Amino acid sequence: MDLSAAQKDQYEALATGLTRRGIDLTAVRAQLKKQHIETPSWGYGNSGTRFGVFRQAGAARDVHERLQDAAEVHRLTGVCPSVALHIPWDKVADFAALTQEASALGVRIGAINPNLFQDPTYELGSFGHHDPAVRAKAMEHVLECVEVMRLTRSPVLSLWFADGTNYAGQADVVARKHWFEACLQQTHAALPDHSRMLVEYKFFEPAFYHTDIADWGMALSFARKAGPKAEVLVDLGHHAQGTNIEHIVAFLIDEGRLGGFHFNNRKYADDDLTIGSVNPYEVFLIYNEIVAAACRGVCPDIAYMIDQSHTIKSKVEAMIQSVLNIQAAYAKSLLVDRVALAEARSQADAVRAEEILKDAYDTDVRPLLASVRVELGAAADPLAAYRASGYFERIATARAGALEGAASWG
Ligand code: PSV
Ligand code: MN
């Protein structure tokens, strides 16, 4: 795959402009080539809302097909070499064989996500349940996931809990906090070497009165008590409207506990929309804090994962579109003139400071990303390449039949 003559011209014009602005294009390109975005197995299968599952032509029916779709996204974008698994949705008898299968497809297994929310036993909670037998069952499942990490060489255990209550007075929230602390400490103790655990927070749903890990502060407190290998996971959808997520990100980086992201976007609540589709400036400002930290010499190991499962958009296409939006936000953040920004800040020139961010944000980085992708052996325009590839038509035909209705979850 190569750039067309028109794409080459666009790139040359952009490169000239950026060089004139004093931007080290070689360094920017090197950073873009190192970008890594994990896609979720559950984003490729049928999914839905709380009201039902909506079936789609071509939706992956099992973990094998989910890996194939993830590999297609990586082939076209060049920056998605790993796939997050959800257990038991992706459970197989032989995880070592699944790891090899992934590798043969050109991808690897990423974060392992336990499921502590679907079994009816967890109606009143898992790690926060008042019954020690339920907490023991939840711990057993987490240990099963740790074993999956060992077999798949996964570096990340990604923990999200639906735990909470629906009515004032329903439970002793402090007792639940203590049960959580104990279970998370046990989880930490069981982690394989060279792995870590991420603690995700969510302020509501499915519990509507209180959630046991409701915000980043609680997640940070739990992570600190669990141990050094526990960090906070920021799911962009899990915030109240108006929350300053980039501030949370900067704060967590400075505390040494930002472990990862679940990328998506929200309009009203939760995590259902395409990353960067509602508020692309927010994604840019988040990356801006990450790049600012790197410029200070602080480079945490952040797991960048997409957490989206689309019902209207075609699955693979929606995933590619999400990846492109993330790449654009990162590329723009790399163009911020940090020296000028520091100067504007030291002069308390808020207008100039904001204009410096806007200069970077308003740059059309598409020719730059197209050129970087080609160098990575991927497609200059992944969405167009996907549509032209016939991949969708092939999976729509091959996957019609008995299992067509199978959902990612359940
Ligand atoms: C919950 O809303 C969540 O964000 C968690 O990360 C889950 O693991 C994921 O969605 C899939 O249900
Ligand atoms: Mn999530």
Side-chain angles (χ1 to χ4, degrees), residues 136-188:
K137 179 180 163 151
M139 183 53 67
E140 202 180 301
H141 174 58
V142 167
L143 295 179
E144 178 196 357
C145 289
V146 165
E147 184 53 20
V148 173
M149 289 175 77
R150 237 183 275 281
L151 293 168
T152 56
R153 297 189 292 279
S154 158
V156 169
L157 181 70
S158 196
L159 297 162
W160 174 68
F161 301 89
D163 288 55
T165 57
N166 280 292
Y167 304 99
Q170 183 188 323
D172 179 340
V173 294
V174 176
R176 290 175 70 100
K177 173 176 178 281
H178 295 164
W179 293 324
F180 254 95
E181 285 167 354
C183 290
L184 289 169
Q185 274 159 15
Q186 266 187 64
T187 305
H188 190 280

Side-chain angles (χ1 to χ4, degrees), residues 261-319:
F261 286 99
H262 271 180
F263 281 139
N264 50 62
N265 212 162
R266 74 194 182 289
K267 177 69 176 169
Y268 300 103
D270 214 355
D271 50 12
D272 305 318
L273 305 181
T274 305
I275 172 85
S277 64
V278 177
N279 192 350
Y281 195 53
E282 179 180 67
V283 191
F284 161 77
L285 291 175
I286 288 169
Y287 266 113
N288 179 50
E289 291 302 334
I290 296 167
V291 174
C295 291
R296 295 192 300 269
V298 181
C299 300
D301 185 4
I302 302 172
Y304 298 93
M305 304 177 272
I306 293 176
D307 182 10
Q308 295 170 189
S309 189
H310 295 279
T311 49
I312 306 296
K313 287 178 176 172
S314 188
K315 309 275 173 189
V316 177
E317 257 188 36
M319 205 59 80

Side-chain angles (χ1 to χ4, degrees), residues 265-410:
N265 212 162
R266 74 194 182 289
K267 177 69 176 169
Y268 300 103
D270 214 355
D271 50 12
D272 305 318
L273 305 181
T274 305
I275 172 85
S277 64
V278 177
N279 192 350
Y281 195 53
E282 179 180 67
V283 191
F284 161 77
L285 291 175
I286 288 169
Y287 266 113
N288 179 50
E289 291 302 334
I290 296 167
V291 174
C295 291
R296 295 192 300 269
V298 181
C299 300
D301 185 4
I302 302 172
Y304 298 93
M305 304 177 272
I306 293 176
D307 182 10
Q308 295 170 189
S309 189
H310 295 279
T311 49
I312 306 296
K313 287 178 176 172
S314 188
K315 309 275 173 189
V316 177
E317 257 188 36
M319 205 59 80
I320 294 171
Q321 190 183 39
S322 307
V323 173
L324 305 190
N325 289 351
I326 298 167
Q327 284 185 301
Y330 181 44
K332 290 174 182 204
S333 73
L334 290 169
L335 303 183
V336 172
D337 185 338
R338 309 257 154 217
V339 176
L341 186 59
E343 205 178 277
R345 285 170 175 177
S346 72
Q347 292 162 359
D349 189 342
V351 169
R352 174 88 190 109
E354 194 167 348
E355 288 305 304
I356 289 163
L357 293 186
K358 289 295 299 291
D359 276 347
Y361 181 72
D362 288 337
T363 309
D364 182 357
V365 292
R366 287 173 296 184
L368 169 62
L369 288 169
S371 155
V372 167
R373 279 189 208 107
V374 166
E375 212 169 292
L376 285 171
D381 180 346
L383 271 179
Y386 177 71
R387 287 203 169 181
S389 70
Y391 184 88
F392 175 72
E393 290 72 15
R394 283 198 296 281
I395 58 174
T397 308
R399 296 176 187 175
L403 284 171
E404 197 180 27
S408 276
W409 51 75

Side-chain angles (χ1 to χ4, degrees), residues 25-85:
L25 207 49
T26 313
V28 168
R29 293 180 65 96
Q31 291 304 316
L32 289 173
K33 281 201 272 183
K34 282 195 284 186
Q35 195 176 12
H36 169 186
I37 304 160
E38 184 160 306
T39 71
S41 70
W42 57 97
Y44 299 108
N46 278 321
S47 59
T49 67
R50 74 179 82 238
F51 305 112
V53 168
F54 297 96
R55 296 163 189 198
Q56 262 192 30
R61 299 166 297 181
D62 57 27
V63 64
H64 310 287
E65 293 179 351
R66 288 171 204 147
L67 289 180
Q68 283 165 25
D69 290 353
E72 180 67 3
V73 173
H74 181 46
R75 189 181 74 78
L76 292 165
T77 62
V79 292
C80 302
S82 64
V83 191
L85 299 188

